[in-house]
Amino acid sequence: MSARRTVASGGTIGMLGGGQLGRMTAMAAARLGYRTHVFTPEADSPCAQVSAAQTVAGYDDRDALARFAQACDVVTLEWENIPVDTVAFLAGLVPVHPGAGVLAVTQDRALEKGFVNRQGVATAPWRPAGSAAEAVAAASELGLPAILKTARLGYDGKGQVRLAPGDDVAAAWSALGGVDCVLEGFVDFACEVSVVVARGQDGALAAYPAVENRHRDGILARTLAPASLDPALLAEAEAVARRLVEALDLVGVLAVEMFVTRGGRVLVNELAPRPHNSGHWTIDACATSQFEQLVRAVCGLPLGAPEAHSDAVMDNLIGLEAERWPELAASPGACLHLYGKAQARPGRKMGHVTRLFPKGQAGR
């Protein structure tokens, strides 16, 4: 662990990616007196709307990246699929957290699952499927039902297909684009949970309580904080997140998505080295949100307290659901967050709303 490098208030944080996670990080940064400079190929991005500066350019534009680095004291990201070469180039000019090594692991499902397993942490059974023949062999070994997923770029239910007994595995692999995939064996899980953990430059850790996530059409619809599970399972989920963030040597925040099986096992599903949708509730229910923790970590400040002062239920506003904003804005106790996106599309996250409850009394 290298020495802590502190960015003083008034400094500039570079943000790779212009989405809502960057937007909420920029708003948290402003509370601590920092400016945000966003780098994104997208004009009028949600993050740019609340940032002090923006660079609109491709992630392969080295001249633009160099100018961006010169304007920033530290760089972070809100999307784990920023090209590794981009992050490596910037790291030669300005501190970047998390680094290219972290992204190289978390951008590829096969590398990620192999990494998790090497830490002694369980996942669903899986096999690489880099060809139609490998996919067929993996299905023969693991059995069906199973899920075939692209190794890279899939999210919110995209880039994957469920396979039932009798399905044509080779055709499914081709339908996903004929790219590297992984096949995951069927898991009979009781619920899905996630833990967001922050890690500072000095190695200090701060983990938020495990939460339960409920999905609709492959997209997170609701998060219940905290998860209503046996305390031993909650402690195990948090311990897994702590182990993985340390093994990655990550500075920033890491979200660890996990399955809890009906038999009481905790299995890691995915890692996200950035703020996570399931952590949005921390803005309203914790003294230090996941977004402020990211700012604190990358700027070399002490991490804040992750404890919740209230239970919370967070609902995503997806597509046209955001048109309910007048009703939600008038609803007592509803904490409404809209992302400034101009156009609602099916499956697009337009905002979220969080409702707080006294500890132990969340309405579920």
Side-chain angles (χ1 to χ4, degrees), residues 107-193:
Q107 285 181 3
D108 187 294
R109 283 192 171 97
L111 295 179
E112 181 179 274
K113 291 177 185 298
F115 165 80
V116 170
N117 293 156
R118 287 194 300 276
Q119 310 316 310
V121 175
T123 60
W126 68 279
R127 295 291 184 274
S131 67
E134 280 193 354
V136 170
S140 177
E141 185 175 354
L142 296 179
L144 298 180
I147 303 178
L148 187 65
K149 299 180 178 181
T150 58
R152 302 175 69 86
L153 296 178
Y155 65 97
D156 285 348
K158 300 178 177 66
Q160 60 183 262
V161 61
R162 294 180 179 271
L163 298 172
D167 283 349
D168 188 332
V169 176
W173 182 86
S174 296
L176 287 175
V179 297
D180 287 342
C181 293
V182 296
L183 186 77
E184 295 181 5
F186 176 74
V187 174
D188 184 21
F189 63 88
C191 65
E192 296 184 37
V193 302

Side-chain angles (χ1 to χ4, degrees), residues 231-247:
L233 284 174
L234 297 177
E236 182 181 353
E238 181 179 321
V240 163
R242 288 174 176 269
R243 185 185 312 175
L244 294 176
V245 76
E246 290 191 309

Side-chain angles (χ1 to χ4, degrees), residues 10-286:
T12 297
I13 301 169
M15 177 62 65
L16 295 171
Q20 64 264 21
L21 301 178
R23 178 189 182 94
M24 288 181 273
T25 303
M27 294 167 74
R31 288 184 55 198
L32 294 176
Y34 293 110
R35 297 175 175 88
T36 298
H37 184 152
V38 57
F39 189 107
T40 174
E42 176 191 5
D44 191 34
S45 68
C47 185
Q49 293 169 9
V50 299
S51 294
Q54 66 172 320
T55 296
V56 178
Y59 292 121
D60 59 352
D61 187 334
R62 293 293 178 93
D63 290 339
L65 289 168
R67 292 192 297 270
F68 170 71
Q70 190 173 23
C72 299
D73 296 290
V74 67
V75 171
T76 189
L77 53 88
E78 61 104 48
W79 187 51
E80 66 268 34
N81 286 309
I82 302 295
V84 171
D85 287 349
T86 296
V87 175
F89 174 76
L90 286 171
L93 304 172
V94 63
V96 182
H97 305 295
V102 172
L103 298 192
V105 171
T106 57
Q107 285 181 3
D108 187 294
R109 283 192 171 97
L111 295 179
E112 181 179 274
K113 291 177 185 298
F115 165 80
V116 170
N117 293 156
R118 287 194 300 276
Q119 310 316 310
V121 175
T123 60
W126 68 279
R127 295 291 184 274
S131 67
E134 280 193 354
V136 170
S140 177
E141 185 175 354
L142 296 179
L144 298 180
I147 303 178
L148 187 65
K149 299 180 178 181
T150 58
R152 302 175 69 86
L153 296 178
Y155 65 97
D156 285 348
K158 300 178 177 66
Q160 60 183 262
V161 61
R162 294 180 179 271
L163 298 172
D167 283 349
D168 188 332
V169 176
W173 182 86
S174 296
L176 287 175
V179 297
D180 287 342
C181 293
V182 296
L183 186 77
E184 295 181 5
F186 176 74
V187 174
D188 184 21
F189 63 88
C191 65
E192 296 184 37
V193 302
S194 59
V195 173
V196 174
V197 58
R199 183 170 181 266
Q201 293 181 33
D202 58 356
L205 300 180
Y208 291 96
V211 299
E212 180 182 345
N213 299 318
R214 298 179 180 174
H215 293 76
R216 185 173 67 246
D217 299 326
I219 302 172
L220 179 64
R222 169 169 285 190
T223 292
L224 308 174
S228 297
L229 293 173
D230 182 272
L233 284 174
L234 297 177
E236 182 181 353
E238 181 179 321
V240 163
R242 288 174 176 269
R243 185 185 312 175
L244 294 176
V245 76
E246 290 191 309
L248 282 168
D249 194 23
L250 181 148
V251 171
V253 295
L254 177 73
V256 184
E257 298 179 54
M258 292 167 266
F259 298 123
V260 178
T261 71
R262 299 190 190 282
R265 296 183 68 206
V266 174
L267 306 177
V268 168
N269 179 31
E270 290 184 354
L271 309 180
R274 39 107 178 139
H276 195 259
N277 196 170
S278 69
H280 290 355
W281 65 279
T282 62
I283 299 172
D284 302 301
C286 301

